Amino acid sequence: MSILDLFRDYTLRNVALGAMVLGIVSGILGCFAVLRRQGLLGDALSHAALPGIAIAYLLTGSKAPIVLLLGAGIAGWVGTLVINRIVRDTRISEDSALGIVLSVFFGVGILLLTYIAKRNDANQAGLDRFLFGQAATLVATDVLTMSILGGLALGCLVLLYKEFKLLAFDPAFAASLGFPPNRLGILLTSLIVVAIVIGLQTVGVVLMAAMLVGPAVAARQWTHRLSVMLVLSGVFGASAGIAGTMLSLGQEHVPTGPMIILSLTAIVTISLLFAPARGLVWAKIRQNHSLNNEPRSREIQPAKGE
């Protein structure tokens, strides 16, 4: 499959554009989750979105993407508040709170999907696609919705860039300047929820965490500057989305979501090994070079008169 097929084939074009938008938005926003050592956050919130999809369907009886994604967004935001409340009001660590929300919300979501499946409602078919994603079902309106939501999230990030930067590197200093770290943290997490929501139809709740963490981890290997890291992370996410789309749709019976993640895994692996800033191969080369250039210790000369 050639790059020209992106412009000729309607399905391929929509899937590639949707995956590219997802890669850019999740890659950029995921940088802050990685820098704040909240890699599990994307996994927890993506799983927390599942019961929202089921509840939205039960309340409306509609499978319209905007309705289901709205339910997913509300559930993910509620998960954010629950995590924040657990950490603030109990002695449970943040990692434990993330694990609790992940397992409980996901369990409730599976229970609701099972209940819906047993209702003998013909209209419920296809809800399980949000577990692993079904990118081939993307249409132009879905891509437009993803672009609008992603654009709003990135626009908010641009407006509060300095505040989010302080929150990521030194929340105590941000508090001393009068910024509310808790509110900024909730807002930043809410933006991550937006990235998760727009990715559910493409890669699903199970794989969405990789789209948040993978591009950021790869970009971190190439630079020490946040602005450069954000740009590289968006580029890596978009590249993985387009590459995974072309590889999957070029072969029969190859799911797009997992192929996007595998493409992203290749980018992360190359970055971990060969990135000049922090790559393992270059670090080993520099270590060997420094060892070879160390001056040899001189032999101890006997003192006069000995």
Side-chain angles (χ1 to χ4, degrees):
M1 181 171 290
S2 66
I3 194 69
L4 294 177
D5 292 327
L6 289 174
F7 303 97
R8 297 171 182 170
D9 188 272
Y10 175 81
T11 301
L12 177 59
R13 183 170 64 250
N14 287 331
V15 176
L17 288 175
M20 182 181 69
V21 170
L22 170 62
I24 293 173
V25 176
S26 62
I28 292 175
L29 292 173
C31 289
F32 291 93
V34 170
L35 291 174
R36 297 177 70 196
R37 301 182 185 277
Q38 293 180 327
L40 188 59
L41 179 64
D43 203 15
L45 296 182
S46 61
H47 284 73
L50 185 61
I53 295 171
I55 292 174
Y57 173 77
L58 288 172
L59 293 177
T60 65
S62 172
K63 291 196 303 181
I66 188 64
V67 174
L68 300 180
L69 294 182
L70 179 61
I74 294 174
W77 187 70
V78 170
T80 299
L81 297 181
V82 172
I83 293 170
N84 186 70
R85 193 62 181 264
I86 291 174
V87 174
R88 187 183 65 184
D89 297 342
T90 70
R91 296 184 178 181
I92 298 176
S93 65
E94 187 172 15
D95 288 343
S96 299
L98 290 170
I100 291 171
V101 170
L102 186 157
S103 56
V104 172
F105 276 64
F106 187 65
V108 172
I110 294 295
L111 184 64
L112 290 175
L113 287 181
T114 304
Y115 168 73
I116 293 173
K118 292 182 177 181
R119 295 174 65 197
N120 295 322
D121 183 0
N123 191 42
Q124 61 83 27
L127 287 178
D128 57 347
R129 73 178 185 271
F130 289 99
L131 284 173
F132 301 102
Q134 195 171 356
T137 62
L138 289 175
V139 295
T141 54
D142 296 329
V143 177
L144 180 60
T145 301
M146 294 170 65
S147 301
I148 293 174
L149 293 176
L152 291 175
L154 294 182
C156 184
L157 176 64
V158 171
L159 291 176
L160 297 174
Y161 174 74
K162 293 181 179 179
E163 289 81 355
F164 288 151
K165 184 177 181 179
L166 278 174
L167 182 67
F169 290 103
D170 197 342
F173 182 60
S176 68
L177 294 178
F179 297 115
N182 289 333
R183 294 181 182 178
L184 285 174
I186 292 176
L187 178 57
L188 181 57
T189 306
S190 299
L191 297 181
I192 294 176
V193 170
V194 174
I196 291 170
V197 165
I198 66 175
L200 292 180
Q201 193 171 351
T202 306
V203 298
V205 300
V206 176
L207 300 175
M208 186 57 217
M211 291 300 297
L212 285 167
V213 176
V217 170
R220 184 67 181 90
Q221 310 308 310
W222 296 87
T223 182
H224 298 286
R225 296 181 57 188
L226 177 59
S227 58
V228 178
M229 179 182 175
L230 294 176
V231 173
L232 286 178
S233 186
V235 170
F236 289 154
S239 301
I242 294 175
T245 299
M246 296 188 66
L247 290 173
S248 65
L249 296 184
Q251 305 290 331
E252 293 184 1
H253 308 298
V254 177
T256 304
M259 187 55 68
I260 292 175
I261 302 304
L262 289 177
S263 300
L264 180 58
T265 302
I267 294 175
V268 173
T269 302
I270 292 172
S271 300
L272 289 173
L273 291 176
F274 302 108
R278 304 177 68 178
L280 297 178
V281 172
W282 288 108
K284 188 66 175 178
I285 292 175
R286 286 192 294 269
Q287 181 182 4
N288 292 336
H289 181 72
S290 62
L291 290 176
N292 292 333
N293 290 338
E294 279 186 1
R296 296 181 179 179
S297 58
R298 297 178 180 177
E299 295 182 359
I300 299 177
Q301 300 293 332
K304 292 183 179 180
E306 289 185 357

